Amino acid sequence: MSTRIAKQQPVMRKRPRQARSRATVETILQAGARILSDEGWAGFTTNKVADLAGVSIGSLYQYFPDKLSLVDAIRQRHLDDCLAVMRKSKAKGLPPVQFVTSLVHAMIAAHSIYPGLHRVLLDEAPSSDDYRNPNSAFEIEYLGYYAKAVAIYRNHQPGRTDQTAALIISDAIDGVIHNAARRGMLGNPTVQSELIRLVSLYLEDAGDSAIAQAE
Amino acid sequence: MSTRIAKQQPVMRKRPRQARSRATVETILQAGARILSDEGWAGFTTNKVADLAGVSIGSLYQYFPDKLSLVDAIRQRHLDDCLAVMRKSKAKGLPPVQFVTSLVHAMIAAHSIYPGLHRVLLDEAPSSDDYRNPNSAFEIEYLGYYAKAVAIYRNHQPGRTDQTAALIISDAIDGVIHNAARRGMLGNPTVQSELIRLVSLYLEDAGDSAIAQAE
Amino acid sequence: MSTRIAKQQPVMRKRPRQARSRATVETILQAGARILSDEGWAGFTTNKVADLAGVSIGSLYQYFPDKLSLVDAIRQRHLDDCLAVMRKSKAKGLPPVQFVTSLVHAMIAAHSIYPGLHRVLLDEAPSSDDYRNPNSAFEIEYLGYYAKAVAIYRNHQPGRTDQTAALIISDAIDGVIHNAARRGMLGNPTVQSELIRLVSLYLEDAGDSAIAQAE
Amino acid sequence: MSTRIAKQQPVMRKRPRQARSRATVETILQAGARILSDEGWAGFTTNKVADLAGVSIGSLYQYFPDKLSLVDAIRQRHLDDCLAVMRKSKAKGLPPVQFVTSLVHAMIAAHSIYPGLHRVLLDEAPSSDDYRNPNSAFEIEYLGYYAKAVAIYRNHQPGRTDQTAALIISDAIDGVIHNAARRGMLGNPTVQSELIRLVSLYLEDAGDSAIAQAE
DNA sequence: AATGAATGAGACTTCATTCAT
DNA sequence: CATGAATGAAGTCTCATTCAT
């Protein structure tokens, strides 16, 4: 489950060896994340990133062979951060509401630094990887995490249906957080508690209710 | 609540008078929707639209004074379509599951023609209107619709809390549909029924459960 | 000297035969003059002219095969008007100051309808004719007119030097009127009287003063 | 009078730091002046300028954010040159004819490099500055210079009338030089001496002649 | 004859990328 | 290594002109 993601080659022209280089790369990645978050993929230009990072465009291209490799690096780091956050909220032992609460809070926290970044990285920006393929390391760990929680709370062996439930939960949380961010309501406590309720109710339901049959 | 959405003129440079030109405008709008859906805002170029529409770039600019006015026209049409779809699923009288079912099916249908269009229009593409301002005619009718359903099923007078519930429902559905579309799973019946369950459970819950207190 | 200018074919695709056609051509020419005057050559587009004239672009092209022929027609008419105005101020018999006064007033009047037109036609707009060649019918009559006045007032036979004097007078008047127009001072009476003084002093001077030797 | 003209930054996107780029800017400005002079505002395209300068279009836009800023830079330089030329011909102490002679020669010299440039910059090309406003630094110094000469030669205190006389002189010289340039007669010595005579006679005249009363 | 829809060359401008210093 | 000058393909938009109706 906690498979370390990102075994693939870090797509960098030259691995930074000295401290100064590492700092430069760091600055570039942060500048890139900020611009991606603030201006979206369409406003993300290599020159703007270099400017904001305070390095020359030439330096940027020493570490990232092209624009795609830069955005890939930013995404890789962001997805790693997301997984790290998630791993901290373990389901086992907790009552569902508490689990969901800690999870939602963690997710909201992760979105608060660069509010637009997640969506831009996942929806707008192109990628050389197939990070969003259902079989990618990221998706496997990400959905697997939810599927496991479903299995625990529904009290049965993990199964194929749990995958769908995981999808529903993950995507509903994503939708609410992303739209709340757009509306500037991410900090609103009612939004947070209602989101928690939405997910908890779903998670607590045995899944054998009359609803399925109604279909 | 059912405020008629603002019927502002799609800002066209020239209103088409002959049948031929009305057809041209139609073709351009459809080509634009397809490209927006398939390639996102960054891949949406006026030349590509004209090409796909099979008209010259000059013709496009006869009807739309600039790129923004074209995307505005596409958006206006799309949002109108969304509202029209929604208005067909009336809550009153139906058991919640049936209401949610018809609603979700309608929404999925609306997203199936141009799967990426909705998100691109709402998240990526810039706009001259403030269509996504919480006070815009679109948002008012859209969220008002959900708020009304919440009030009906929770069996009380409409209130401020219902607004938040409406937000949660609308954004959760949005998140699930949009991510399912990206994964190519929009047609998957399990996804559909689970989404319906997620929303129905939330809608049926009185809102006075222990969840809020747990927070 | 008063050779009728414009023997060359009016560059029109089709000579207007009916009253309606003549009216259309007239409207187009006036619309063209106004736009040329107000917006200069760079702002002069055939579509704008057609719009202002209230005819379709197709109709415009029925009378004028291309943009150049339209501007040529406008220029031809304008230069004819200028010559007509000039012919009214005859030098013979009048004291120089009175002659210059009537001439300057006539010139200012001619520039007051479309203040920018003259300069645009002579300086900016391209031409198929060589109307500004020193041997063109227009230049011959225009400068000849001034040369004749010089000969009269300097009281000798017309000669080559008079041509230069004519040039000086015509171009000085042109410069003062055109710049006054740009500054919005065409109506200023002091400007008018000083211009008259400038020209009169020059015209009254025998031409044998010490000035030439000083050079 | 000798108010230093506004030294506003030529609005450049990027100040050239290396010697190479300073040379590039210089080349671009000269190419621009030539094209403006030869082909007028309508023929002045950024691509033509870049071509003639022997640089890529991208280089041009590194230094000038748009077409207007390029023409503004060319104009600023040209007007500065004009003022510099003028400042060299001081009126005091010289007999009028000598003063006018040196002035006219200087002006002709200034127009001889790019004969059409002055007119195009002042009449055709649009501008972001209000350089031609009567209160602009340029106009104030330019006309003030002539007004001062008028006051000296007419032997009285500077006054409001001198402003008009300055206008007349400046605009008459402008008209003669500009039209002579168009006719290719700028080098003609008779034209030069006659222009000098026109201005000298006007400048020497006390201004109390019978002419004003004749009006 | 008149209309106005359609065309496309060409103008302005951006931005990813390379390379001399 | 770092810099930033230079490049040019590609995108937005205009406008003279043609042609079907």
Side-chain angles (χ1 to χ4, degrees):
Chain A
M1 176 149 297
S2 44
T3 318
R4 196 67 183 78
I5 208 178
K7 287 194 200 104
Q8 73 212 82
Q9 274 302 96
V11 261
M12 283 195 265
R13 190 189 284 252
K14 162 192 296 183
R15 191 182 301 268
R17 297 183 186 277
Q18 303 172 9
R20 181 156 59 119
S21 299
R22 245 173 292 121
T24 301
V25 166
E26 187 55 35
T27 318
I28 293 172
L29 287 176
Q30 276 172 24
R34 166 133 320 275
I35 290 182
L36 227 29
S37 170
D38 290 355
E39 317 203 24
W41 173 247
F44 179 79
T45 75
T46 51
N47 282 287
K48 246 192 260 179
V49 173
D51 264 16
L52 181 59
V55 303
S56 70
I57 182 65
S59 290
L60 189 153
Y61 273 87
Q62 287 218 321
Y63 295 110
F64 302 96
D66 57 22
K67 200 183 178 182
L68 211 50
S69 74
L70 172 56
V71 80
D72 276 337
I74 295 171
R75 178 160 34 223
Q76 204 162 95
R77 167 171 297 209
H78 175 74
L79 295 186
D80 279 352
D81 288 353
C82 281
L83 291 181
V85 156
M86 249 180 35
R87 288 190 203 106
K88 288 186 187 162
S89 307
K90 288 284 178 190
K92 62 175 169 181
L94 270 60
V97 176
Q98 270 182 32
F99 166 68
V100 173
T101 299
S102 86
L103 179 69
V104 164
H105 284 171
M107 280 305 189
I108 287 177
H111 277 77
S112 295
I113 322 163
Y114 300 117
L117 186 60
H118 192 77
R119 184 188 55 76
V120 169
L121 285 173
L122 263 51
D123 286 340
E124 291 188 27
S127 164
S128 53
D129 312 353
D130 57 341
Y131 69 96
R132 211 64 214 259
N133 178 298
N135 296 328
S136 78
F138 172 74
E139 285 280 91
I140 287 172
E141 177 171 357
Y142 191 74
L143 290 179
Y145 175 83
Y146 283 110
K148 192 172 158 193
V150 171
I152 289 173
Y153 290 117
R154 293 202 179 157
N155 204 24
H156 58 217
Q157 295 309 311
R160 210 183 46 73
T161 334
D162 297 343
Q163 287 295 329
T164 306
L167 221 84
I168 296 289
I169 294 172
S170 125
D171 294 349
I173 293 177
D174 177 78
V176 172
I177 289 183
H178 151 212
N179 283 293
R182 198 175 19 66
R183 294 184 171 101
M185 298 178 77
L186 246 195
N188 186 314
T190 313
V191 168
Q192 294 183 17
S193 61
E194 287 299 302
L195 172 56
I196 290 164
R197 187 142 67 97
L198 174 80
V199 177
S200 302
L201 287 169
Y202 180 73
L203 206 51
E204 287 173 321
D205 185 71
D208 52 4
S209 69
I211 295 167
Q213 287 102 47
E215 257 247 291
Chain B
M1 177 154 298
S2 45
T3 317
R4 197 67 184 77
I5 199 167
K7 210 190 288 289
Q8 78 191 84
Q9 288 300 104
V11 199
M12 284 203 276
R13 191 192 287 262
K14 174 193 283 183
R15 177 159 306 281
R17 296 173 193 246
Q18 303 177 4
R20 178 164 53 133
S21 62
R22 241 173 294 123
T24 300
V25 167
E26 188 55 36
T27 319
I28 292 172
L29 286 174
Q30 274 170 27
R34 167 136 318 281
I35 290 184
L36 226 31
S37 170
D38 290 356
E39 317 203 25
W41 172 247
F44 179 79
T45 76
T46 51
N47 280 298
K48 258 192 247 175
V49 173
D51 267 13
L52 181 58
V55 303
S56 71
I57 185 64
S59 288
L60 189 156
Y61 278 92
Q62 290 245 338
Y63 299 106
F64 302 95
D66 55 23
K67 200 183 174 181
L68 212 51
S69 74
L70 173 56
V71 80
D72 276 336
I74 296 172
R75 179 162 31 225
Q76 191 161 345
R77 169 173 294 211
H78 175 74
L79 294 185
D80 279 351
D81 288 353
C82 280
L83 290 180
V85 155
M86 249 180 36
R87 290 192 202 101
K88 286 187 188 161
S89 307
K90 287 286 176 191
K92 65 175 169 182
L94 269 61
V97 177
Q98 269 181 32
F99 165 68
V100 174
T101 300
S102 87
L103 180 69
V104 164
H105 284 172
M107 279 305 186
I108 287 177
H111 278 77
S112 295
I113 321 161
Y114 301 115
L117 186 59
H118 192 78
R119 185 189 55 76
V120 170
L121 284 174
L122 264 51
D123 286 340
E124 291 189 29
S127 164
S128 50
D129 313 354
D130 60 340
Y131 70 96
R132 210 63 213 264
N133 177 297
N135 297 328
S136 78
F138 173 73
E139 284 280 89
I140 287 172
E141 178 169 356
Y142 192 74
L143 290 179
Y145 175 83
Y146 283 110
K148 192 170 158 193
V150 170
I152 288 174
Y153 290 118
R154 295 203 177 156
N155 203 26
H156 57 216
Q157 296 309 313
R160 209 181 49 74
T161 334
D162 297 344
Q163 287 295 330
T164 305
L167 220 84
I168 296 289
I169 295 173
S170 123
D171 294 349
I173 293 178
D174 177 78
V176 172
I177 289 184
H178 150 212
N179 283 294
R182 195 168 28 62
R183 294 185 172 99
M185 300 177 76
L186 248 194
N188 185 315
T190 313
V191 168
Q192 294 185 15
S193 61
E194 288 299 301
L195 172 56
I196 290 163
R197 187 141 67 96
L198 175 79
V199 177
S200 302
L201 287 169
Y202 180 73
L203 205 51
E204 286 174 319
D205 185 70
D208 52 5
S209 69
I211 295 168
Q213 287 102 47
E215 257 247 294
Chain C
M1 180 150 295
S2 45
T3 319
R4 196 65 182 82
I5 206 178
K7 285 192 202 107
Q8 73 211 84
Q9 275 302 98
V11 262
M12 282 195 264
R13 189 189 284 254
K14 160 192 300 186
R15 192 182 301 268
R17 297 184 185 275
Q18 304 171 9
R20 181 155 62 116
S21 299
R22 245 174 291 120
T24 301
V25 167
E26 187 56 34
T27 318
I28 292 172
L29 287 175
Q30 275 171 25
R34 166 133 319 275
I35 290 181
L36 227 31
S37 170
D38 290 355
E39 317 202 27
W41 173 247
F44 178 79
T45 75
T46 51
N47 282 287
K48 248 193 260 180
V49 173
D51 264 15
L52 182 59
V55 302
S56 71
I57 184 64
S59 290
L60 188 153
Y61 275 87
Q62 288 218 319
Y63 295 111
F64 302 95
D66 57 22
K67 200 183 176 182
L68 212 50
S69 74
L70 172 56
V71 78
D72 277 337
I74 295 171
R75 178 160 35 222
Q76 205 163 94
R77 167 170 297 209
H78 174 76
L79 294 185
D80 279 353
D81 288 353
C82 281
L83 290 181
V85 156
M86 250 182 34
R87 289 190 202 102
K88 287 187 186 161
S89 307
K90 287 285 178 193
K92 63 174 170 182
L94 270 62
V97 176
Q98 269 181 32
F99 166 68
V100 173
T101 299
S102 86
L103 180 69
V104 164
H105 284 172
M107 279 304 188
I108 287 176
H111 277 78
S112 296
I113 321 161
Y114 300 118
L117 186 60
H118 193 78
R119 184 187 56 76
V120 170
L121 284 173
L122 264 51
D123 286 341
E124 291 189 27
S127 164
S128 53
D129 313 352
D130 58 343
Y131 69 97
R132 211 63 214 261
N133 177 298
N135 297 327
S136 78
F138 172 73
E139 284 280 89
I140 287 173
E141 177 170 358
Y142 190 75
L143 289 180
Y145 174 83
Y146 282 110
K148 194 171 158 193
V150 171
I152 288 174
Y153 290 117
R154 294 205 176 152
N155 203 24
H156 57 216
Q157 295 309 311
R160 209 183 46 74
T161 335
D162 297 343
Q163 287 296 328
T164 306
L167 220 84
I168 297 288
I169 293 172
S170 123
D171 294 348
I173 292 177
D174 177 78
V176 172
I177 288 183
H178 152 211
N179 283 295
R182 198 174 21 65
R183 294 184 172 98
M185 299 178 76
L186 246 196
N188 185 315
T190 313
V191 168
Q192 294 184 17
S193 61
E194 287 300 301
L195 172 57
I196 290 163
R197 187 140 69 95
L198 175 80
V199 176
S200 302
L201 287 168
Y202 180 74
L203 205 52
E204 286 173 320
D205 185 70
D208 52 6
S209 70
I211 294 168
Q213 288 102 46
E215 257 248 292
Chain D
M1 172 153 300
S2 44
T3 317
R4 199 64 186 81
I5 197 167
K7 210 190 288 287
Q8 77 192 85
Q9 290 300 105
V11 199
M12 285 202 276
R13 190 193 288 262
K14 173 192 283 185
R15 177 159 305 282
R17 295 172 192 246
Q18 303 177 3
R20 179 163 54 132
S21 62
R22 242 174 292 122
T24 300
V25 168
E26 188 55 37
T27 319
I28 292 172
L29 286 174
Q30 276 170 27
R34 167 135 318 281
I35 289 183
L36 227 31
S37 171
D38 290 356
E39 317 202 26
W41 173 247
F44 179 79
T45 75
T46 51
N47 281 294
K48 257 193 247 176
V49 173
D51 267 13
L52 181 58
V55 302
S56 72
I57 185 63
S59 287
L60 189 155
Y61 278 91
Q62 290 245 337
Y63 299 107
F64 302 96
D66 55 24
K67 201 183 174 181
L68 211 52
S69 74
L70 173 55
V71 81
D72 276 337
I74 295 172
R75 179 161 31 223
Q76 190 162 346
R77 169 173 294 210
H78 175 74
L79 294 185
D80 279 352
D81 288 354
C82 282
L83 290 181
V85 155
M86 249 180 36
R87 289 191 202 104
K88 288 188 186 161
S89 308
K90 288 284 177 193
K92 65 173 169 182
L94 269 62
V97 176
Q98 269 180 32
F99 166 68
V100 174
T101 299
S102 87
L103 179 69
V104 165
H105 283 171
M107 280 304 188
I108 287 177
H111 278 78
S112 294
I113 323 161
Y114 301 116
L117 186 59
H118 193 77
R119 184 190 56 76
V120 170
L121 284 175
L122 264 51
D123 286 340
E124 290 189 30
S127 164
S128 51
D129 313 354
D130 60 341
Y131 69 96
R132 212 62 213 264
N133 177 298
N135 296 327
S136 78
F138 173 73
E139 285 280 90
I140 287 172
E141 178 169 359
Y142 192 73
L143 290 179
Y145 175 82
Y146 283 111
K148 192 171 160 193
V150 170
I152 288 173
Y153 290 119
R154 294 203 176 155
N155 203 26
H156 59 218
Q157 296 309 312
R160 210 182 47 73
T161 333
D162 297 344
Q163 288 296 329
T164 306
L167 220 84
I168 296 290
I169 294 172
S170 124
D171 294 347
I173 293 178
D174 177 78
V176 172
I177 289 184
H178 150 213
N179 283 293
R182 197 171 24 64
R183 293 184 173 99
M185 299 178 77
L186 247 196
N188 185 316
T190 313
V191 168
Q192 294 185 16
S193 60
E194 287 299 301
L195 172 56
I196 289 163
R197 188 142 68 95
L198 174 79
V199 177
S200 302
L201 287 168
Y202 180 72
L203 205 51
E204 286 173 320
D205 184 69
D208 52 6
S209 70
I211 293 167
Q213 288 102 48
E215 256 249 292

